[in-house]
Amino acid sequence: MKTILSLFLVLALAASAAEKPFGLVLHGGAGVIERSSLSAEREAEYRAKLTEARDAGYAILERGGAALDAVIAVVTILEDSPLFNAGKGAVFTADGTCELDASVMDGRTQAAGAVAGVKHIKNPITLARSVMEKSGHVMLIGDGAERFAQQEGFTLVPNEYFQTEHRRQQLERAKKNAAAKKTAVLDREDHATRIARYGTVGCVALDRQGNLAAGTSTGGMSNKRFGRVGDAPIIGAGTYAHNATCAVSATGWGEFFIRVGVARDIAAQLEYRGTPLKTAAATTIAKVGALGGDGGVICIDKDGNIALPFNTAGMYRGYRVSTGAVGVEIFGDK
Amino acid sequence: MKTILSLFLVLALAASAAEKPFGLVLHGGAGVIERSSLSAEREAEYRAKLTEARDAGYAILERGGAALDAVIAVVTILEDSPLFNAGKGAVFTADGTCELDASVMDGRTQAAGAVAGVKHIKNPITLARSVMEKSGHVMLIGDGAERFAQQEGFTLVPNEYFQTEHRRQQLERAKKNAAAKKTAVLDREDHATRIARYGTVGCVALDRQGNLAAGTSTGGMSNKRFGRVGDAPIIGAGTYAHNATCAVSATGWGEFFIRVGVARDIAAQLEYRGTPLKTAAATTIAKVGALGGDGGVICIDKDGNIALPFNTAGMYRGYRVSTGAVGVEIFGDK
């Protein structure tokens, strides 16, 4: 009898463990992405890369890997692709160089790491992780962040590694438009700039152990000046994760995302008034919109619910959850 | 009769306007401040400077000035004093220079501005305000922030302006202790470093129009390396203001304050569950403590309530509210 009871207990535990949902959501930026301006060939490239990254991350989760590892794997693949404004293929600053920002947060411990303004780190998301795990700090910027990277054994790459012809042309167009309109800092309405502005990448994941993680990486804004930093490396704005609530990665007009504290604002609604994830995420994006900003977020909560709202024409995105939801989408109508 | 009614109405309106509370709270850092280690003379200097800054800010509010102007005035006075770790008298980095961070937020519009890693701006808080009002951005870092400052007509000062003998000795002690303990990055437990770490300054204010504002300025950590950025320039961590809830400025072990998102976390409790300010502030400081961090915050809400909790031995602080509360305190027992 005792043995039979024990067996039942083991089976019940195994079943409940098996039932625990896990999964991830990723984004490759939100912005003025319209069907008419994206060729079928280019669209297929985006869908293929988003699918590749999604499935690589999901495989890690499926075999019991950590949410943090899945997030790093996904973001690394997107950074390595010239399609997105992060790592290789990052947009150019006004000076004609690439300056990269990234951040990561571990929902299990609320540990966090971020780098801003780095120019020679192939995968900024992995440096953000090293900052989190080995520096004793959360945020390192500029040359200092790269000195830390060298100490940690990172190989520095020449800035040319990140530079692509496509982004150079984007910079030229942005400069020409800015000059034509005689705007001092940056043309807020320029179409090309608006697309480039929102090409951040990110991933949020929930693993079988119930741990959440979030990561975000970006090249920032095309034609940016003055060492401008957006929301991507700001914990609470572009990135946030806490096992008690949810994991969030944002992409959009960074200034508005910082002012609203987008990622933390979504988690705070879950924490302090039990708002369902979808409602919370929509409420926060509406706050951004009310201030005049735009963009989107990807979120996954501790129960495996996901939300991917955006108030732009499109957002490159993918998701896969063990409970069934799976997809890769670009436009507002999928 | 009509005239008498109108007169009553005018008087009632005047009375309600007069009753609207206004006031401010300021801090000069929290940390290992013990009576035994502070001479009577030095204590008198701190009390005098805190009183001077407090009254200068209060005078602005009293004559109907903006909360934002009061915050800038108070923080500027504290930056100019060598007593505090901000502006003149900032701590030294491991390289022997001063690198300054600051941020400001306007609760009326949720506009925000921040600078990090600047070396030649006499009053970083005023540059943070210019970033907010004139750059189209929220956060500028390093050389880029100083190029923007030059464009805006700021006079750059040599780094020597910030450097004091007292702080140089502090760096030497920190380095000696770190070397003795062979710690790689920074000695977390070193007494001198712990004091220096928490010397941030800040101010929060509520004006007669019901507008809130918050500002924070710091020299960061003594012996800091790698372009480390703490919570002071991070909107939502060191600084936050929203007219619907409260204004907050933090001072403490920045890494923990970023992870908790201290300033925004306090406001979120007011926003999403109607928590009274004092309870919300205490809850958030307890979160910092639970993770192993320490420090304090100053807060004022839209109704003129104030809260100044800290989990360190002391916090340099002052406050004055039109409803009566007024004081300058240093230790845990006043």
Side-chain angles (χ1 to χ4, degrees):
Chain A
M1 186 63 185
K2 217 173 175 183
T3 316
I4 292 171
L5 267 178
S6 297
L7 188 66
F8 267 107
L9 194 65
V10 166
L11 285 172
L13 280 171
S16 95
E19 274 167 15
K20 253 192 170 177
F22 63 93
L24 55 77
V25 191
L26 62 151
H27 70 77
V32 187
I33 312 163
E34 277 149 11
R35 270 188 215 281
S36 55
S37 62
L38 197 65
S39 70
E41 192 190 346
R42 193 91 173 149
E43 184 183 332
E45 285 180 53
Y46 275 108
R47 289 188 185 275
K49 188 53 76 177
L50 289 167
T51 305
E52 176 197 336
R54 182 198 66 187
D55 293 347
Y58 192 81
I60 292 172
L61 298 174
E62 202 166 32
R63 62 172 180 260
L68 185 61
D69 291 330
V71 164
I72 300 291
V74 168
V75 174
T76 298
I77 290 171
L78 300 176
E79 283 178 341
D80 289 345
S81 164
L83 291 170
F84 306 98
N85 176 21
K88 188 172 186 67
V91 299
F92 285 71
T93 66
D95 296 337
T97 58
C98 294
E99 285 185 19
L100 311 160
D101 308 332
S103 68
V104 67
M105 189 158 183
D106 183 344
R108 189 173 55 87
T109 56
Q110 293 98 65
V115 293
V118 299
K119 298 177 186 173
H120 305 96
I121 306 298
K122 183 167 176 278
N123 292 106
I125 194 72
T126 60
L127 181 56
R129 183 180 186 160
S130 281
V131 169
M132 173 172 81
E133 294 176 342
K134 294 173 185 167
S135 75
H137 298 305
V138 168
M139 187 174 196
L140 304 182
I141 62 175
D143 297 341
E146 301 198 332
R147 283 202 303 274
F148 170 74
Q150 283 183 289
Q151 178 179 297
E152 289 298 317
F154 280 72
T155 308
L156 301 200
V157 298
N159 197 258
E160 288 70 28
Y161 163 78
F162 304 105
Q163 302 175 8
T164 61
E165 185 52 32
H166 172 64
R167 298 299 190 188
R168 193 179 301 276
Q169 287 169 10
Q170 225 167 33
L171 172 66
E172 293 312 317
R173 278 201 306 276
K175 282 192 165 176
K176 212 175 285 176
N177 287 337
K181 295 193 182 174
K182 290 179 188 150
T183 52
V185 175
L186 189 100
D187 179 10
R188 297 189 183 198
E189 296 311 315
D190 171 55
H191 189 263
T193 308
R194 282 171 66 88
I195 296 177
R197 174 180 293 141
Y198 305 145
T200 300
V201 308
C203 180
V204 294
L206 169 68
D207 65 28
R208 284 177 184 271
Q209 290 72 48
N211 293 318
L212 288 160
T216 311
S217 180
T218 190
M221 302 165 83
S222 190
N223 200 22
K224 74 180 173 188
R225 295 168 68 188
F226 305 131
R228 177 261 186 187
V229 172
D231 63 316
I234 306 295
I235 300 301
T239 302
Y240 187 77
H242 194 306
N243 273 9
T245 52
C246 59
V248 182
S249 168
T251 167
W253 192 335
E255 278 70 15
F256 292 93
F257 279 62
I258 294 175
R259 290 165 58 192
V260 171
V262 163
R264 181 68 184 95
D265 190 56
I266 294 170
Q269 293 176 66
L270 275 65
E271 181 176 357
Y272 294 128
R273 65 177 187 195
T275 311
L277 183 72
K278 267 192 207 322
T279 311
T283 298
T284 301
I285 290 298
K287 280 186 181 181
V288 170
L291 287 178
D294 55 8
V297 286
I298 53 167
C299 323
I300 189 165
D301 71 14
K302 65 183 172 58
D303 303 315
N305 299 304
I306 64 172
L308 310 77
F310 53 93
N311 66 357
T312 46
M315 178 167 77
Y316 298 108
R317 60 203 188 275
Y319 50 90
R320 187 163 175 190
V321 186
S322 61
T323 46
V326 59
V328 160
E329 296 159 9
I330 298 177
F331 309 107
D333 55 356
K334 308 286 165 118
Chain B
M1 186 62 185
K2 216 171 174 183
T3 316
I4 292 172
L5 268 178
S6 299
L7 189 64
F8 267 106
L9 194 65
V10 166
L11 284 173
L13 280 172
S16 94
E19 275 167 15
K20 252 193 171 177
F22 63 92
L24 55 76
V25 192
L26 61 151
H27 70 77
V32 187
I33 311 163
E34 276 149 13
R35 269 186 216 282
S36 55
S37 62
L38 197 66
S39 71
E41 193 189 346
R42 193 89 171 151
E43 184 183 333
E45 284 179 52
Y46 275 107
R47 288 188 185 274
K49 188 53 75 174
L50 288 167
T51 305
E52 177 197 336
R54 182 197 67 187
D55 293 347
Y58 192 81
I60 292 172
L61 298 173
E62 201 166 33
R63 62 173 181 261
L68 184 61
D69 291 330
V71 164
I72 299 291
V74 169
V75 174
T76 298
I77 290 171
L78 300 176
E79 283 178 341
D80 288 346
S81 164
L83 291 172
F84 307 98
N85 175 22
K88 188 171 187 68
V91 299
F92 285 71
T93 66
D95 296 337
T97 57
C98 294
E99 285 186 18
L100 310 159
D101 309 332
S103 68
V104 66
M105 190 158 185
D106 183 344
R108 190 173 55 87
T109 57
Q110 293 98 67
V115 293
V118 299
K119 298 177 188 173
H120 304 96
I121 306 298
K122 184 168 176 279
N123 291 106
I125 194 72
T126 60
L127 181 56
R129 182 179 187 161
S130 281
V131 168
M132 173 172 81
E133 294 177 340
K134 295 174 184 166
S135 75
H137 298 305
V138 168
M139 187 173 195
L140 304 182
I141 61 176
D143 297 341
E146 300 198 333
R147 283 202 303 276
F148 170 74
Q150 283 183 289
Q151 179 180 297
E152 289 299 318
F154 279 73
T155 308
L156 301 200
V157 298
N159 196 258
E160 288 70 28
Y161 163 78
F162 304 105
Q163 302 174 8
T164 61
E165 186 51 32
H166 172 66
R167 297 300 190 187
R168 194 180 299 278
Q169 287 168 11
Q170 224 166 33
L171 172 66
E172 293 313 318
R173 277 200 305 275
K175 282 192 165 175
K176 212 174 283 177
N177 286 338
K181 297 194 185 174
K182 289 179 189 150
T183 52
V185 174
L186 190 100
D187 179 10
R188 297 188 183 199
E189 295 312 316
D190 171 56
H191 188 262
T193 309
R194 282 172 66 89
I195 296 178
R197 175 181 291 141
Y198 305 145
T200 300
V201 309
C203 179
V204 294
L206 169 68
D207 65 28
R208 285 178 183 271
Q209 290 72 48
N211 293 318
L212 289 161
T216 311
S217 180
T218 191
M221 301 165 83
S222 190
N223 200 21
K224 73 180 173 188
R225 296 169 68 190
F226 306 131
R228 176 262 186 185
V229 172
D231 62 315
I234 305 295
I235 299 302
T239 302
Y240 186 77
H242 194 307
N243 273 9
T245 52
C246 60
V248 182
S249 168
T251 168
W253 193 336
E255 278 70 16
F256 293 92
F257 279 63
I258 294 175
R259 290 165 59 193
V260 172
V262 163
R264 182 68 184 94
D265 190 56
I266 294 170
Q269 292 176 65
L270 274 66
E271 182 176 356
Y272 294 128
R273 65 177 187 196
T275 311
L277 183 71
K278 268 193 208 318
T279 311
T283 298
T284 301
I285 290 298
K287 281 186 182 184
V288 170
L291 287 178
D294 56 8
V297 286
I298 53 168
C299 323
I300 188 165
D301 72 13
K302 64 184 172 59
D303 302 315
N305 299 304
I306 63 172
L308 310 77
F310 52 95
N311 66 355
T312 46
M315 178 167 78
Y316 297 108
R317 60 203 189 275
Y319 50 90
R320 186 164 177 190
V321 186
S322 62
T323 46
V326 58
V328 160
E329 295 159 11
I330 298 177
F331 309 106
D333 55 355
K334 308 287 168 114

